[in-house]
Amino acid sequence: MYTQIFDPVAHSIGASAAFAALPLLTLFVLLGVLRLQARWAALAALAVSMTVAIFVYGMPASQTASGALEGASIGFFPIIWIGINAIWLFKLTQESGHADVLRRALARVSADQRVQAVLIAFCFGALLEALAGGGAPVAICAVLLISIGIEPLKAAAVCLIADTSPVAFGALGLPITVLAKITHLPVHEISVMVGRQTPLLSLFIPLILVFIVDGRRGMKEVWPLALVTGVVFALGQFAGSMLLPVELVDIVAALICAGISIAFLRVWSPGVLRADLAGAGTVTATANAGGQQRFDADHNVAGVSHSASMAMPMPGSGTHFHHTTGRDHAPAGTTQAPDSRAEILRALAPYAAVILVVASTQISLIGHALGAITSMFPWPGLHVVDPKGVAVSAVNAKFEWLLSAGSIVLIAGLLSAPVLKVSAAVATRTYLKNLHELRWAVFTVCCVVGVAYVMNLSGQIVTLGIFAAKAGPAFAPVSPILGWFATALTGSDTSANALFGMLQLTTAHHTGLSDILLTAANTSGGVVGKAISPQNLAVGAVAVGMMGKEGVLFRRVVGWTVLMISALSLLVYLQSTPVLGWMVP
């Protein structure tokens, strides 16, 4: 039996906290300063956390190793399990060619690249984050934006900023459900509190995207759409956090946002349609019959030449446009016919399947049937109690094999494959290839969550929480900054919650602040850090052909994240005072 002790170094919380911080400092320095690859930084941090647990906190080596293995298991299932299956789901659409169908369908809504940036990066990106997470929205949306002629650097920056506010409810609500599991706080209350924080960011992100694409000119001409999109998504998150299961909040908000934005574009269009944004290439415009303008552009993206031909409707003309790129494989000198409604519906089928499966789990009969296949057991080799002699909750493991978010996406993929006309052999081969490509991402996440479990079980996290509590009520505005910092360096809001969830809870108990407020603030702050995490920067750089230039992307987006986290910290501070304290459930 191991009994936790929170002041093992000379019975001093300050001295003990110095040792307890070593695993986190190792991770931050190796990643942020020395720029070591994430997998090796995470492995080093795990080794340091185990060393501190054994030699400073006196935790038996066998139990330390067992705790690390439990954390690694949780890191794989359910945390990285969602990413594996979500990326596979998208790759099925690539195999069937329906990824291009979806891109063309989105592009036909408007010929204005600034409008397309909002629809693709924010609306569609939010849906991808809701279903997948793990950097998938950045990779997928950046490729789509480049295919419509947006400069690679701008495309990556737009996608990185867009993939922030949806993150808290992303991956079918995984960051919040993992946080609730670690802290034993109610999922719904955390969801409601996050829904009263992240919508602040959602209000302004579409405006930031338009500014990145086209500066002040874009803001002046496209602000009505950006405002409508931001307000609708923010309201969707706010209302959904109170009324919907956490798995559906972002999905519903993204779908409503996309629907209303498209409807708004039927009655409003930018004053000037522009295909000549900086870096998009040389564009010439000629008038043709029917009140249309036709833009022909040749541009180079990541060293690959693409030719784009877009027939663009004039505002109010009611006509449609066709967009073709080298990826469409249309014969030279011809215009590809619009995709049929059936093909567009097939392209949307995987995402509709996820929504259908999630909704089905809310039916008691189906939910109970899936929930019956659940494993609950004491983790082998772990016998840990707190100073009062109460067993620590982490010694018990629970695996919801079919009700987990990743399994839901897997089921949706199995249902979608026949609709996409992808054979079982191709689907299986794609899955195995996907596993191989994600092997290091799996390793990294397992190590990071292993660090969290070792620190929680040994008492290191509680030590840091007690030390942080000395700041008293002044800790409130710092709370989201911790989440921002953790996500920036681990690349995952879920991992940030696993690392700092107990710290936030402990600090709340020692300062008299709301535990729901601080734990939710960790999640909300983490969404901002997603834009500057090494993993997301690397994904964005690879997607746009800028490998090795992650620093350029970092400089392009870091200023925006500082503004966002400052606004969020102010909001959390006000929520900790009588001014906005009524917002805390």
Side-chain angles (χ1 to χ4, degrees), residues 269 273 290-293 312-320:
S269 61
L273 292 175
Q292 291 184 325
Q293 281 187 323
M312 298 187 176
M314 294 299 290
S317 67
T319 55
H320 299 282

Side-chain angles (χ1 to χ4, degrees), residues 245 356-371 403:
L356 177 63
V357 176
V358 171
S360 299
T361 61
Q362 304 306 310
I363 300 174
S364 59
L365 181 63
I366 297 176
H368 288 154
L370 295 177
L403 269 182

Side-chain angles (χ1 to χ4, degrees), residues 23-46:
L24 301 178
L25 289 175
T26 300
L27 183 63
F28 296 160
V29 170
L30 292 181
L31 271 179
V33 179
L34 301 181
R35 298 182 182 180
L36 194 66
Q37 289 182 319
R39 56 181 180 265
W40 306 127
L43 181 61
L46 178 59

Side-chain angles (χ1 to χ4, degrees), residues 387-402:
K388 296 180 180 180
V390 179
V392 176
S393 60
V395 301
N396 297 311
K398 180 180 180 180
F399 295 94
E400 296 178 304
W401 300 112
L402 293 182

Side-chain angles (χ1 to χ4, degrees), residues 457-526:
L457 286 165
S458 64
Q460 297 172 56
I461 287 292
V462 177
T463 300
L464 292 174
I466 295 173
F467 179 76
K470 293 181 178 180
F475 181 79
V478 178
S479 182
I481 295 176
L482 285 180
W484 173 56
F485 195 51
T487 302
L489 293 172
T490 65
S492 166
D493 198 18
T494 303
S495 296
N497 283 341
L499 276 174
F500 286 156
M502 279 302 298
L503 186 151
Q504 300 276 13
L505 182 70
T506 302
T507 304
H509 290 167
H510 284 81
T511 58
L513 293 169
S514 166
D515 49 12
I516 293 293
L517 174 63
L518 295 193
T519 52
N522 194 80
T523 304
S524 300

Side-chain angles (χ1 to χ4, degrees), residues 122 126 165-166 199 202 228-238 249-250 253-254 257:
F122 188 74
S165 62
S202 303
V228 167
T229 304
V231 169
V232 171
F233 188 79
L235 290 176
Q237 275 192 324
F238 174 73
V249 173
D250 265 357
C257 180

Side-chain angles (χ1 to χ4, degrees), residues 117-284:
V118 173
L119 294 178
I120 292 174
F122 188 74
C123 298
F124 183 55
L127 180 61
L128 290 175
E129 180 62 40
L131 301 174
V138 175
I140 295 167
C141 294
V143 172
L144 294 176
L145 291 181
I146 288 177
S147 71
I148 61 172
I150 292 181
E151 177 190 1
L153 179 59
K154 288 183 178 180
V158 163
C159 293
L160 286 168
I161 294 297
D163 189 33
T164 51
S165 62
V167 166
F169 294 98
L172 300 181
L174 190 61
I176 292 175
T177 55
V178 167
L179 179 62
K181 181 178 180 180
I182 289 174
T183 61
H184 290 276
L185 294 174
V187 170
H188 181 69
E189 289 190 14
I190 297 176
S191 173
V192 170
M193 191 68 251
V194 172
R196 296 174 183 179
Q197 293 172 344
T198 57
L200 173 70
L201 305 178
S202 303
L203 287 171
F204 300 102
I205 285 176
L207 291 167
I208 296 175
L209 304 186
V210 171
F211 184 85
I212 292 174
V213 174
D214 198 27
R216 293 182 180 178
R217 178 179 63 180
M219 293 278 284
K220 181 179 179 180
E221 297 173 359
V222 190
W223 70 264
L225 174 68
L227 182 62
V228 167
T229 304
V231 169
V232 171
F233 188 79
L235 290 176
Q237 275 192 324
F238 174 73
S241 68
M242 295 183 289
L243 304 175
L244 297 173
V246 68
E247 296 86 353
L248 291 178
V249 173
D250 265 357
I251 295 176
V252 172
L255 291 175
I256 293 176
C257 180
I260 292 181
S261 297
I262 292 171
F264 180 71
L265 287 168
R266 292 185 178 275
V267 298
W268 174 91
S269 61
V272 181
L273 292 175
R274 297 190 182 277
D276 59 342
L277 303 179
T282 303
V283 181
T284 59

